[in-house]
Amino acid sequence: MDAKESIARGETALGIEFGSTNIKAVLTDKRGTVLATGNHGWENTLKDGIWTYPLTEIHEGLKDCYRSLRVSVEEKYGEKLTSIGAIGISAMMHGYMAFDQEGKLLTDFQTWRNSNTQEAADELTELFQFNIPLRWTIAHIDQCILNKEEHVQHISYVTTLDSYIHGMLTGEKVTGIGDASGIFPIDSETLDYDKDMMAKFDALLEKRAVPFRLRDILPKVLVAGDAAGKLTEEGAKLLDPTGTLKPGIPFCPPEGDAGTGMAATNSVAPRTGNVSAGTSTFAMVVLEKKLSKLYREIDMVTTPDGYPVAMSHANNGTSDLNAWVNIFKEFTELFGMTVDMGELFGKLYTNTLKGDKDCGGLLPYGYFSGEGITHLNEGRPLFVRRPDSSFTLANFMRANIYTSLGAVKLGMDILLKEEHVKLDRIMGHGGLFKTKGVAQNYLAAAVDAPVTVMATASEGGPWGMALLALYMLYGKERASLAEFLDKEIFAELQGSTVEPDPKDVEGFEKFMQDYRDGIAIEKAAIESLK
């Protein structure tokens, strides 16, 4: 069946993902082939010390992203999008959206980027004997209670961004298990919130005279393949104000960006892993067995079908790297040149291959916000060098790519060197890997293991979300999620694999020694620059 016929017959899947700087929609056919994409750029704001996005921007961004997709479909294929086989919504995991009984947002949406929950995260980690990172939803809930915030008494429902958008479109208060694992710890046997930990937290709520119990305010947990509602008339009008899109389209469970990254890289089976490189950068490894002990640097989450996953999550990824590229864009404009941003990224990245393996002693930190892995609750982007460092453009950009993987590498070192976790393959995805043979090589050096990047790597999470929608439509009855992805999606897809270069490995390790030692500089910058 050709693309036009797939669209006309509604034999398609749509994934929409709300990333930190871009909302992206990907429409695929039944085999997962990308037919069209849509985009809407946006950016979080720091309001009263809280990283947030206003509800109006969430709603408008959703509409504009879909509009962009709809226009693309009409221009490419001469077909109107009246129906879609299935839709899935994904977004940045974690954070805090609290609503009252009437559905009114009680306080500004707090994104994953906020690190104002140290007291709660420490308390809950001790209570559960399970690592609760600062960005998790339960840490935000507990911190609001500890702060005695007035809105807590009026909470009726708490959820995350993808679950909120899914609810607007379907009326269902549900979320996928991968997203749920960033709300509250999950029991992979029962495929639900851990009941023993929930009982401990409820006892805490009772002691503090809080008028709700946790299960009553959290979204219901669903797993990959489950039906998660249908597009309502109100949802259809919100998504497509032109009225072209018809209600009744089935939805799969919404997911966090970690889960969609796993699907997009075929990394849902034990002994597989992936690294997603973007505004935040995280590495995930699907485990064969539990870790030997609790690590504050490692999050325990799940695949979209509930397998335990160890995650090394860095709040800060490529934001500062992108900021430096924009500086070079301004430089070219001073000379009256118009440079394509894709070409600019490509040339700057490729040029780094001429740099020193250890970046010549240059040391940047792209810490826009706090970084849990290095135990910092705030961030200050900075760049430091010794008088005798080799300050070249190639080394400068290479160091900025290295540092975007730096915090993640600290967590991966725990998994690979201390826990001796076994990996059959690790996949890279996200815009950082778009330039061939650069970041892929550096990631292979960072983990000292082969790294594969698929041709679909730059489509990332929204494509992974569309695959989860396809699994609900066509795969659940006859295959596990891993089998479906292996045999029906990735069997014919092309990818490239690079082996780690021993000299790159040695150079990255030397850079990381400076990175570890230099955390004291970052701390001093936080204390000095208020």
Side-chain angles (χ1 to χ4, degrees):
M1 188 185 301
D2 67 15
K4 186 171 180 176
E5 190 179 351
S6 293
I7 293 165
R9 293 172 61 168
E11 295 188 359
T12 52
L14 173 61
I16 301 176
E17 182 160 289
F18 283 65
S20 299
T21 59
N22 190 36
I23 305 170
K24 185 173 181 179
V26 171
L27 185 74
T28 75
D29 65 12
K30 290 169 66 173
R31 300 299 302 274
T33 304
V34 176
L35 303 177
T37 63
N39 290 278
H40 172 84
W42 72 339
E43 187 58 75
N44 56 187
T45 52
L46 190 61
K47 180 183 175 185
D48 300 325
I50 297 296
W51 291 103
T52 188
Y53 300 87
L55 283 186
T56 52
E57 288 191 23
I58 294 171
H59 298 174
E60 291 305 314
L62 174 66
K63 285 189 283 190
D64 188 59
C65 178
Y66 181 81
R67 179 204 59 77
S68 172
L69 173 79
R70 177 177 55 78
V71 169
S72 175
V73 168
E74 290 177 10
E75 289 178 349
K76 264 176 105 171
Y77 305 106
E79 287 287 338
K80 291 187 179 293
L81 269 180
T82 58
S83 188
I84 296 164
I87 299 176
I89 301 295
S90 60
M92 304 163 279
M93 285 176 68
H94 319 298
Y96 180 69
M97 300 186 81
F99 300 88
D100 67 12
Q101 209 161 13
E102 281 71 48
K104 177 187 174 185
L105 188 67
L106 291 167
T107 186
D108 288 335
F109 164 39
Q110 298 189 34
T111 76
W112 58 271
R113 217 170 183 175
N114 292 289
S115 50
N116 57 330
T117 57
Q118 185 72 61
E119 183 183 2
D122 289 345
E123 176 182 70
L124 296 178
T125 297
E126 178 65 28
L127 179 67
F128 299 152
Q129 285 301 293
F130 183 99
N131 182 37
I132 301 295
L134 277 65
R135 65 187 178 281
W136 278 32
T137 305
I138 189 61
H140 284 280
I141 294 172
D142 192 42
Q143 192 64 52
C144 290
I145 294 168
L146 290 169
N147 293 347
K148 295 182 168 55
E149 295 187 29
E150 192 272 336
H151 80 269
V152 169
Q153 299 299 317
H154 306 286
I155 289 175
S156 175
Y157 182 53
V158 172
T159 196
T160 52
L161 181 57
D162 58 287
S163 176
Y164 165 69
I165 297 160
H166 179 94
M168 286 198 306
L169 298 175
T170 66
E172 301 288 339
K173 292 182 176 180
V174 300
T175 199
I177 194 167
D179 183 59
S181 69
I183 295 174
F184 192 85
I186 290 290
D187 182 339
S188 287
E189 296 294 323
T190 64
L191 301 178
D192 200 357
Y193 301 118
D194 187 290
K195 65 178 183 180
D196 292 336
M197 295 185 199
M198 190 165 272
K200 289 179 180 179
F201 190 74
D202 280 345
L204 207 59
L205 294 177
E206 188 171 1
K207 181 181 174 183
R208 291 171 178 166
V210 177
F212 56 76
R213 293 298 169 261
L214 197 54
R215 186 171 290 278
D216 298 334
I217 66 166
L218 295 184
K220 181 183 177 182
V221 179
L222 301 177
V223 297
D226 286 348
K230 294 183 178 181
L231 184 66
T232 62
E233 287 191 16
E234 295 80 4
K237 288 175 185 175
L238 176 64
L239 191 58
D240 182 14
T242 69
T244 307
L245 191 67
K246 297 174 183 176
I249 297 168
F251 274 65
C252 67
E255 263 300 348
D257 51 358
T260 60
M262 287 183 248
T265 55
N266 193 18
S267 304
V268 298
R271 294 174 67 107
T272 64
N274 76 90
V275 173
S276 172
T279 304
S280 65
T281 298
F282 44 87
M284 290 168 289
V285 178
V286 187
L287 300 178
E288 294 180 285
K289 60 181 182 179
K290 290 182 178 180
L291 300 181
S292 65
K293 61 181 180 180
L294 182 156
Y295 296 93
R296 291 303 298 265
E297 299 86 356
I298 302 296
D299 301 8
M300 291 304 303
V301 292
T302 78
T303 64
D305 54 349
Y307 280 95
V309 174
M311 177 197 282
S312 170
H313 184 289
N315 281 358
N316 300 281
T318 58
S319 292
D320 205 37
L321 178 59
N322 296 340
W324 281 113
V325 174
N326 282 324
I327 288 289
F328 290 116
K329 177 176 179 287
E330 283 187 44
F331 173 78
T332 63
E333 290 170 347
L334 278 176
F335 285 85
M337 294 182 282
T338 301
V339 179
D340 175 77
M341 285 301 287
E343 185 180 5
L344 182 59
F345 271 101
K347 285 191 177 296
L348 287 170
Y349 281 20
T350 302
N351 187 58
T352 66
L353 298 172
K354 300 175 184 176
D356 296 320
K357 303 294 187 184
D358 63 353
C359 305
L362 307 185
L363 182 62
Y365 291 93
Y367 285 14
F368 272 77
S369 61
E371 189 53 77
I373 292 178
T374 51
H375 310 291
L376 297 173
N377 291 343
E378 295 181 54
R380 301 290 184 272
L382 60 83
F383 174 81
V384 117
R385 62 189 173 107
R386 301 178 182 89
D388 61 347
S389 296
S390 179
F391 190 39
T392 66
L393 178 60
N395 280 340
F396 177 78
M397 290 304 299
R398 186 166 180 144
N400 276 288
I401 296 175
Y402 272 26
T403 203
S404 72
L405 300 169
V408 158
K409 177 170 167 53
L410 296 177
M412 285 297 285
D413 283 349
I414 291 172
L415 296 176
L416 300 178
K417 296 177 181 178
E418 295 184 35
E419 288 288 327
H420 305 291
V421 169
K422 301 300 181 188
L423 270 176
D424 290 335
R425 66 170 185 260
I426 190 158
M427 310 280 282
H429 78 114
L432 185 66
F433 300 104
K434 199 169 185 178
T435 303
K436 290 183 179 179
V438 182
Q440 182 181 6
N441 294 37
Y442 301 157
L443 176 59
V447 298
D448 195 12
V451 172
T452 300
V453 173
M454 307 300 295
T456 52
S458 61
E459 300 298 350
W463 182 63
M465 192 68 246
L467 299 184
L468 291 173
L470 288 176
Y471 179 62
M472 180 192 71
L473 279 180
Y474 305 115
K476 178 70 182 288
E477 296 304 315
R478 61 179 188 272
S480 68
L481 179 59
E483 291 167 339
F484 172 76
L485 293 175
D486 250 346
K487 296 174 182 176
E488 301 193 32
I489 302 297
F490 286 87
E492 297 178 10
L493 287 180
Q494 298 298 311
S496 65
T497 302
V498 299
E499 299 285 334
D501 180 326
K503 291 183 179 178
D504 281 345
V505 173
E506 183 183 351
F508 209 121
E509 290 295 340
K510 189 174 178 184
F511 171 84
M512 286 303 297
Q513 188 56 56
D514 280 348
Y515 186 96
R516 292 183 183 91
D517 293 343
I519 295 298
I521 307 169
E522 178 69 21
K523 287 179 180 177
I526 293 167
E527 292 166 4
S528 301
L529 299 174
K530 296 297 182 185

